[in-house]
Amino acid sequence: MGYRSDEVASIIRDAITSHRLLPGDKLVEREIVESLGVSRVVARQSLIRLSEEGLVKWQTNKGASVALPELGEVVALFDALIMIERAIIEKAADYVHTEAWADLRRHADNELCLKHDHPVSAADFHLKLAAMVQNQFISDFYDRLNKKAVLLAAVYGQAKSGRLLMHDHARILDLIEAGRIDEAKNLAERHQGEILRGYTLKEVREHSGLRSLGDILRDTTPTHQDAPASDS
Ligand SMILES: [Zn+2]
Ligand SMILES: [Zn+2]
């Protein structure tokens, strides 16, 4: 029994997010066909699916490879996050006495007791902050930017520990409560800047070396989780 294209996509996605396949690595259809025992059509469908998610890049005559986002794209993404977050903070000041605010405060306080990395497990705070201003368009847009940031984190890894960044969350709320809105905005901007530096200062990882694509895929156990929503 062969794999379906969504299962093949899942195997390749796992190999990318676990850094066994690195940005720039070629994804040769024939090797996928031979190592996983699937048809060429299934191999191609899985690559199309991954390119829609932004994980794989197609080049005419060169075929598919693991996508390598340019630094300019990463910077533009964080610029957009900062601009929209400054606007959200301006508006959030109107919600200080609401139940949603109390919930966000509890979330930020809980985070200080936990040890987890930023932004993959900490995006919750930012999404809750965005949701508080009760504008579906802003929430949707912010959610989309965040999904993209999570994808970049999976591909590039995250050099910086989230511990200090978690303190920023509670501090941003303190400043908004105190009516110091400009300071809250500036802290949020520094906060996103720190996350961005985590990417550009990423540790240099060992390349998967001489292992062939086929060997890597054969060793990657399939999972059946849902694919992340595509950005298109
Ligand atoms: Zn944060
Ligand atoms: Zn959290």
Side-chain angles (χ1 to χ4, degrees), residues 106-175:
R106 273 192 297 275
H107 182 84
D109 290 345
N110 282 338
E111 280 182 332
L112 292 178
C113 313
L114 301 169
K115 207 175 175 181
H116 52 192
D117 289 331
H118 206 287
V120 177
S121 52
D124 266 10
F125 172 82
H126 299 271
L127 293 172
K128 276 173 175 283
L129 182 65
M132 195 164 54
V133 301
Q134 296 178 6
N135 181 318
Q136 193 59 47
F137 297 102
I138 287 179
S139 299
D140 288 350
F141 182 54
Y142 196 81
D143 188 50
R144 203 175 123 186
L145 292 175
N146 241 306
K147 279 209 176 87
K148 187 89 181 172
V150 168
L151 187 69
L152 289 174
V155 174
Y156 283 117
Q158 185 72 31
K160 202 172 168 65
S161 152
R163 191 71 184 174
L164 281 174
L165 288 168
M166 291 312 195
H167 285 268
D168 287 347
H169 290 173
R171 185 74 188 134
I172 288 167
L173 297 184
D174 290 344
L175 288 168

Side-chain angles (χ1 to χ4, degrees), residues 19-168:
H19 303 151
R20 271 165 296 161
L21 286 171
L22 297 178
D25 282 351
K26 293 217 169 310
L27 297 166
V28 183
E29 259 175 40
R30 183 178 40 77
E31 290 187 58
I32 297 170
V33 166
E34 285 168 7
S35 60
L36 299 178
V38 295
S39 72
R40 222 177 163 103
V41 172
V42 166
R44 172 154 301 206
Q45 280 171 346
S46 69
L47 291 174
I48 289 171
R49 190 185 174 115
L50 291 167
S51 74
E52 284 166 359
E53 291 173 21
L55 278 175
V56 163
K57 188 175 85 171
W58 283 97
Q59 275 178 300
T60 327
N61 301 327
K62 280 190 174 175
S65 58
V66 180
L68 178 66
E70 287 168 20
L71 185 60
E73 189 195 349
V74 179
V75 171
L77 173 68
F78 277 83
D79 271 353
L81 275 172
I82 287 164
M83 280 188 256
I84 192 165
E85 202 159 86
R86 290 185 78 99
I88 286 167
I89 286 171
E90 179 88 43
K91 205 101 169 84
D94 298 340
Y95 293 85
V96 165
H97 300 292
T98 62
E99 190 48 45
W101 181 273
D103 182 55
L104 185 61
R105 169 58 80 180
R106 273 192 297 275
H107 182 84
D109 290 345
N110 282 338
E111 280 182 332
L112 292 178
C113 313
L114 301 169
K115 207 175 175 181
H116 52 192
D117 289 331
H118 206 287
V120 177
S121 52
D124 266 10
F125 172 82
H126 299 271
L127 293 172
K128 276 173 175 283
L129 182 65
M132 195 164 54
V133 301
Q134 296 178 6
N135 181 318
Q136 193 59 47
F137 297 102
I138 287 179
S139 299
D140 288 350
F141 182 54
Y142 196 81
D143 188 50
R144 203 175 123 186
L145 292 175
N146 241 306
K147 279 209 176 87
K148 187 89 181 172
V150 168
L151 187 69
L152 289 174
V155 174
Y156 283 117
Q158 185 72 31
K160 202 172 168 65
S161 152
R163 191 71 184 174
L164 281 174
L165 288 168
M166 291 312 195
H167 285 268
D168 287 347

